[in-house]
Every structure is written in structure tokens, then in C-alpha cells.
Amino acid sequence: MGKFFQSSLFALKLNSGLFILLAGISFTTVLSGCALTNEISKESPAEKPSIQSEKVTDGSNKPDDIIANSPLLDASTMFEILAAEMMVQKGQVANAFDILYPLAVKTKDEGLAKRVFQISMATYKVANIEKATVLWRELSPESAIAWRASFLLSLRHSQLELALEQWQTYHQLSKDGLDADLISSAAKVAASVPKKPGLQFFTRLAQKHDQSWSAYYGLGMVATVYQDPEVGIPAVEKALDLLPESEREASSPVLYNLLSKLYLMNGNPEKGIEVLTPYVDSNPNDLLLQERMARLEVQAKHYEAAERRYQAIINAEPGAYTSLLSLALIQLERKAYDLAEKNLLAVSKEKPYQPVGNYYLGILYQDSDRDELAISMFEKVKSASYYVDAQLHLAEIYFAQNKPKESFAILDGMQLALPADQVKVLRAKAIFSSAQDKYLPAVELYEQVLKIEPANIEVLKAQSLLLYKLEQYVQYEANLLKVLKLDDNDTDVLNALGYFYVEQKIKLDQAFTLLNKALAIEPNSYYILDSMGWYYFQVKEYDQALNYLNKAFAVEEDDEVFIHLITTYWHNKEVNRAKLLWQKYHKKFLQNDRVQNLINELESEAIK
């Protein structure tokens, strides 16, 4: 029995928040290699927003500062300010904003308006931030940060031209310089603006500042966060071309690391390896870049090269447990179980890595038929990230040991909140039920999955197979048509539906269209060639049928193709050739009773 559940070799989880640090009241950037390195060392170019980062409970514009700098505030107003600040200290920022914003509008006090803006950021409410931004900008038109907040909010409303004007004002007021303004703006845009206006905005900035490497670096940053390598790769490559000689030593590592992230996204690892190899080979101590190169090599299935690279990383940094885990997974993939076990045991000794280490040790032991060890490892996995999959593997082991009761008990015993986990368990139950020839319950379980994920193509296909076995042909056809509405190039379904029509001798024109399309996509698929051959058999064009069936049998000596080929020769009045072909190949298919009795069957039909 095959393994039902698989985990990908490597996974990159990228979290991005809704709000960026629009305020950044004391933000400054020094354009240097160090500053850029700090940007790229994070998994995302943009910082993850947080209330703490806005320093709403301390820092500039504390209540005492506001009162001291605004002697015209009356006693009542001062009291309300102090009361609101006490709310901030208690975490009641929304209430504090509701008190301070009207006061700032009434008093038109610049310091109070600035404080209201800071607190608006901590409320995480766009409406509050917008009101506070407009007020602060009106009262402090020389504040660069107010204009930066303005262009970001305009972009959130897809007001591209207005945002560009506001960015220009921000840049004119900023004291940080063009490169720093572009880089910091990229971080803010990537974390707070939807993809379409964000990319449009930075594309326009790059076009305007087409001789500035930082403009293209910024475009590459936002494209990376938006996971758009088609935009990001040429942008970063342009930034490398424009990078001044004085910046190359400090900034090239940042750009190449960003480029490596983009190539990991674009589905063309070979190209990424080709582009990055010269720089990677000349910078063996850049371990982050080495790790990404190893992941590209894994994507390209260059497992030996990736294994060597991960080993080099571990030799240079013995505490690189993520790389050690990756190395172990490659070894597991190529069934080097002893090496993988040694490395996974080392990984699992580190507390943060225990769940993942135990989980993959369980997979290793299961794959190498050491079920008791596998069970012991999976039972140790309690982490939410791996618990459900570990339980599924336990259920699979017990089912393979002919212990279905224990298997279903595990599946029934899980308390599942996430729809994705519910789908996994329902699919497992359906698979096990199907393996017990309980087709109708399996169909019903798949129906429960489809209520959660109506467009799940794999489930529709799996359910279709059972419907066919149950001879529920109307629903079988309906399922396959649903799949084709979701993906009209699914060759498995094009072939299945076309063959179904051929087999039932119905809708033969549609059958031909479906099979012809499938063959155009996969011209060397033996089972599609067989289906097309059987179509021609049904319409009694035997020469055409033999053409396709012989091609199919040349690709794969399959028993079903063999039956069709012999039958077609027989009906084409080439009986001797059919018998000779049967005599030559029938012993290859001793497990197929119909093959063994095929000549007798055909002779009986001829007598009738």
C-alpha cells in the first residue's frame, strides 16, 4: 500500500501584516551596507508592524511635553489629555483616540495632532489613521512623516497619481536622501498596500528615477513581498547593473539574497542557479545565500549538490539546525536512512526542533518498515503544526497492519477546528473506506469534503472513480464535467470522460473532441492513445484504431491496451495476426484472466 500523506521537502511561510509603521516618528536611515543588510536579514523586507514599535506609551510627545509646549490649553483640555494618556497606559488606545482626536481638531495643536496620529496607529483602524493623518498634515505641512502616511493611505484607495504627488512632497521634506527614502518607502508599501497599486506605484518611481539603483531595489523588495518574481527578478538585476562601485561591497550581498528569494518563487530553479552561481561561489561565507542556493538545488532535483552545500553550511555553523533538518530530509528522500536518522536525532535533541524532528523520524521509520519505532515517534508529536499529520500517519500504519478499528479510532478522536485539517481527516477516512470496498460510505465522506472545498479537483476525481465502480454513471459524468469547468486541460479527466463516452457508445463526437484535446497536450500518453484507438474501434475505423493502439502498446505493454489491440485485429479480419500477438505476449499478463481467455472469448463471439 502506498503512502497516502506526503509533506513537501521544504516550505517557506511568509506572514505579512495589514499595517506598516506609517508613523516611524523617529525614523532615520543611513545608506550603508549595514543598514541594507539589516533590511534583508529579515524574511520579509518590511518590518512586521506592532503597537510596541509605535512607542505609544512613551517616547516623543508624552502628555507632559504636549502640555508644556501648548501653554494656551485650558485646564479642562489638559485633564482630558492626561485621562486619555492613562487609557493608553492601560492599553485602551481606541478610547484614548476617541477623546484626543476631537480635542486636536478643536485646539489645532500640532503636538497634540502628532500624538493623535501615533495613537491612531495603535488602534489598527484605517478610519482612525486616515483622520489623524489628514489632521496632522494640515497642522504640520512640513512634516515628512505625515506626507509619508498620506501617500500610503492614498495607495490603499488606489489613488496612484495622488500618492505619487504626496510621495514627492514627502521626499522633498525628508532629510534622508533619495536612496534612503526609496528603500524605506518600499518597506512601508510592501507591508500596507495591496499588490496592484503597490507594484504600479513602485514601477512608476523606478521609471522616474531610472538611474537610481535603490528605485529598482525598492521595486524588487515590493515584488518579493507580493510574490511576483516576473517583476522582481528584472528589477533586482537592474539594481545590480546600476549599483555604484562604492556600494558594491556593502550592498551586493543584499541584492543577491533578494534575487535568490525571487528565484525560489519563480519555478525556474535552473535559471536561478545559473545566475547566482558566480556570486555564490565567490562568497562561501554568506550562509543565508548558500542556504537559498541549496533550496534552489533541491527544487531542481540536484540533490547531491544540495546535500554537499547543506553539509558545508553545517560545518561552518554547527548550530544551523534548519540546514541540518534540510540535509536530513534530502537523505530521507533518497532513502539514505542511516544518515537521515543520525541527523534527525541530532535535530530532535534541540527543544525548538523536537516536534519536527520526531515527526520526520516517524516518517523515516515508517518508510523503512520499522512500524513500532514510527508509532513511538508519531505519538510524541503534540505540536499543532505537525499533530494532525502525525495522527494521520499513525492511522495509516494501523490500517496497513490490518487494524482498521484502531485506525478509525484515531481519526474519529481528533478535535479539529481548521477546515484544512477536517479535509485531511475526511479524505483519510474515504481512502480507508474505499480500500475496504466500502464505496458508498467513501463517496459520502468525499461529499463532506466537497461541502468544505467545492473546487477540490483531486477529491472530485477520487469520488468519480468510486461513482464509476458503483455504476452511478450520471453522477460520474457530472463530477468529471465539474472538474473540466475548473481545469479544462486536465488530461486525466479529458481522457476519463472521453473513454466513458466511447465505452458507453454515447456522445461519440464529444468523445473525439475530448480525446483529441488530451492527445494535443500529452501526445505520448499510452492510455490516451489507447482511448483514441478504442474510439476508432467503436466507429469501425479499424485501421485508424490499430494505428493508435500499436502506438500505445509500444509506449507501455499494458494489459488493457493488449486486449484492445488483439480485439481490433480480430474484428479487422486479421485473426492469425491476433493469435500470433496473443501467443507472444499473453504470459506477461498471467494475473489477468480476461487476457488468458481472450481468444476463446473472441471465437465464441464469432460463432454467435
Side-chain angles (χ1 to χ4, degrees), residues 22-26 50-51 53-63 65-66 85 88 93 97 100 110-124 128-129 132-133 136 145:
L22 286 170
I25 301 301
S26 60
S50 65
I51 292 176
S53 63
E54 290 307 319
K55 303 291 184 184
V56 295
T57 57
D58 56 25
S60 61
N61 277 39
K62 292 185 289 188
D65 295 333
I66 296 170
E85 289 295 341
V88 171
V93 289
F97 178 84
L100 292 179
E110 292 183 24
L112 184 55
K114 180 178 180 180
R115 181 59 176 160
V116 168
F117 176 79
Q118 290 176 305
I119 293 173
S120 77
M121 292 296 301
T123 69
Y124 289 95
N128 289 348
I129 297 169
T133 298
W136 187 23
I145 305 303

Side-chain angles (χ1 to χ4, degrees), residues 37-73:
T37 302
N38 288 337
E39 287 282 347
I40 200 64
S41 64
K42 307 180 185 74
E43 195 54 38
S44 163
E47 295 173 309
K48 186 176 180 180
S50 65
I51 292 176
Q52 289 75 13
S53 63
E54 290 307 319
K55 303 291 184 184
V56 295
T57 57
D58 56 25
S60 61
N61 277 39
K62 292 185 289 188
D64 291 346
D65 295 333
I66 296 170
I67 293 170
N69 293 326
S70 306
L72 298 180
L73 296 178

Side-chain angles (χ1 to χ4, degrees), residues 119-190:
I119 293 173
S120 77
M121 292 296 301
T123 69
Y124 289 95
K125 293 182 179 179
V126 174
N128 289 348
I129 297 169
E130 289 182 341
K131 290 194 297 184
T133 298
V134 171
L135 179 63
W136 187 23
R137 193 181 69 217
E138 288 177 354
L139 298 179
S140 303
E142 299 302 311
S143 168
I145 305 303
W147 285 98
R148 185 174 70 190
S150 296
F151 82 72
L152 290 168
L153 289 169
S154 295
L155 283 175
R156 288 185 64 82
H157 293 293
S158 298
Q159 297 172 312
L160 179 61
E161 298 302 328
L162 178 59
L164 288 165
E165 292 175 11
Q166 291 168 335
W167 186 89
Q168 190 59 36
T169 303
Y170 155 70
H171 171 54
Q172 290 170 353
L173 295 172
S174 171
K175 298 177 182 179
D176 295 325
L178 178 63
D179 288 334
D181 288 345
L182 287 166
I183 292 170
S184 66
S185 295
K188 312 301 179 188
V189 166

Side-chain angles (χ1 to χ4, degrees), residues 434 437 439 464-473 476:
S434 178
D437 295 334
Y439 298 147
S464 298
L465 179 61
L466 298 176
L467 291 167
Y468 185 84
K469 291 180 178 180
L470 289 166
E471 298 183 2
Q472 295 184 14
Y473 295 138
Y476 171 75

